[in-house]
């Protein structure tokens, strides 16, 4: 995997947007950025992935910078159920999970 | 999205016994399955990659004779922890890829193994 760097933890107020950054400065031209999250004691859940254009689905939006060296996952209206560890991954045939960002949504 | 199941969800066994964990892709054929291990408060660690009908590729430091992986079909992979010891107690998670791309993995719910 290309190395990714994420802040270890973040808080977000319920109902507000959660913006989770990821740095992947060594990404190559044809490598995708994937985002997963893991709620305590469960398997990781796929959220979204992208190459260079911004992407949106029913769960989140993914904003990738023009130079592709960083990205931001946006949860538009965070709920308590979004409390989880969020992983940004740039796979090269396998997934190597970093430490991720532990997001806590506060009532 | 695609559904991946694991069985059992929890298992407790005595030291020295073997435990088999099944991973199934329920609604797609998985060309590749992966096995991870996660210790408390740590991230997932890739143990091995397996392709249907061929031998698994193990990550450095993972004992292939202790963690036997069989990938007999495009929907089933098994991990057998042989001669389990308390230090093997962990959360074991499988994933399956191949629905849309090799890099898009769908994860099972995990199996909590406790070795007494």
């Amino acid at each position: 995997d290309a190395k990714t760097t994420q802040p270890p933890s973040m808080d977000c107020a319920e109902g507000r947007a959660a913006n989770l950054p990821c740095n992947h400065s060594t990404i190559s031209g044809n490598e995708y950025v994937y985002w997963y999250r893991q709620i305590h004691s469960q398997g990781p859940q796929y959220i979204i992935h992208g190459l260079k254009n911004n992407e949106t689905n029913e769960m989140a939006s993914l904003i990738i910078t023009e130079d592709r060296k960083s990205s931001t996952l946006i949860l538009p209206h965070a709920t308590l159920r979004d409390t989880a560890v969020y992983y940004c991954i740039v796979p090269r045939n396998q997934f190597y999970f970093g430490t991720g960002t532990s997001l806590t949504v506060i009532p | 999205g695609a559904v991946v199941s694991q069985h059992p969800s929890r298992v407790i066994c005595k030291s020295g016994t073997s435990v088999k964990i099944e991973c199934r892709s329920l609604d797609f054929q998985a060309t590749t399955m992966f096995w991870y291990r996660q210790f408390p408060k740590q991230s997932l660690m890739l143990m091995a990659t397996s392709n249907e009908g061929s031998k698994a590729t193990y990550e450095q430091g993972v004992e292939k004779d202790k963690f036997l992986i069989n990938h007999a079909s495009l929907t089933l992979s098994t991990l057998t922890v042989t001669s389990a010891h308390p230090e093997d107690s962990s959360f074991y998670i499988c994933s399956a890829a191949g629905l849309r791309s090799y890099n898009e993995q769908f994860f099972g719910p995990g199996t909590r193994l406790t070795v007494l």
Side-chain angles (χ1 to χ4, degrees):
Chain A
D1 291 8
K3 181 174 172 55
T4 61
T5 304
Q6 298 177 253
S9 64
M10 291 181 67
D11 292 340
C12 177
E14 188 178 17
R16 305 297 293 269
N19 297 286
L20 293 95
C22 178
N23 181 289
H24 34 78
S25 58
T26 61
I27 194 169
S28 296
N30 61 347
E31 292 177 326
Y32 284 77
V33 181
Y34 284 78
W35 283 82
Y36 284 75
R37 72 181 182 184
Q38 186 179 26
I39 295 170
H40 182 62
S41 293
Q42 297 182 25
Q45 176 189 22
Y46 166 80
I47 302 173
I48 200 167
H49 74 282
L51 181 62
K52 54 184 176 181
N53 297 321
N54 297 337
E55 303 287 345
T56 295
N57 63 19
E58 63 278 4
M59 288 182 69
S61 294
L62 175 61
I63 308 298
I64 303 174
T65 57
E66 195 168 335
D67 63 7
R68 302 209 326 119
K69 294 185 176 184
S70 65
S71 61
T72 300
L73 178 75
I74 301 172
L75 307 179
H77 305 287
T79 71
L80 299 179
R81 285 180 291 185
D82 292 322
T83 292
V85 178
Y86 288 76
Y87 295 100
C88 163
I89 302 168
V90 178
R92 290 175 176 164
N93 296 327
Q94 286 92 11
F95 278 22
Y96 292 101
F97 284 80
T99 52
T101 296
S102 177
L103 174 70
T104 301
V105 180
I106 302 168
Chain B
V3 180
V4 176
S5 70
Q6 281 185 241
H7 178 80
S9 57
R10 291 178 179 273
V11 58
I12 300 173
C13 70
K14 292 182 179 179
S15 187
T17 60
S18 294
V19 174
K20 180 185 283 188
I21 302 170
E22 291 188 349
C23 175
R24 293 181 185 272
S25 58
L26 299 184
D27 51 5
F28 73 103
Q29 293 187 319
T31 52
T32 306
M33 288 185 167
F34 304 84
W35 286 95
Y36 297 82
R37 180 168 52 180
Q38 185 174 33
F39 293 107
K41 298 192 185 301
Q42 294 186 22
S43 190
L44 283 79
M45 289 173 37
L46 179 65
M47 298 175 68
T49 302
S50 77
N51 294 294
E52 183 261 343
S54 60
K55 290 184 178 180
T57 301
Y58 291 80
E59 294 297 302
Q60 193 171 11
V62 178
E63 301 174 58
K64 60 182 67 176
D65 293 331
K66 180 168 185 61
F67 299 99
L68 302 179
I69 293 172
N70 183 277
H71 193 162
S73 77
L74 286 172
T75 60
L76 173 65
S77 176
T78 60
L79 168 68
T80 301
V81 182
T82 62
S83 186
H85 288 98
E87 58 266 30
D88 299 321
S89 297
S90 189
F91 192 48
Y92 291 86
I93 305 169
C94 73
S95 71
L99 177 61
R100 285 186 282 265
S101 79
Y102 180 86
N103 279 326
E104 189 172 350
Q105 296 185 25
F106 297 94
F107 288 81
T111 297
R112 176 76 58 192
L113 170 63
T114 302
V115 185
L116 302 177

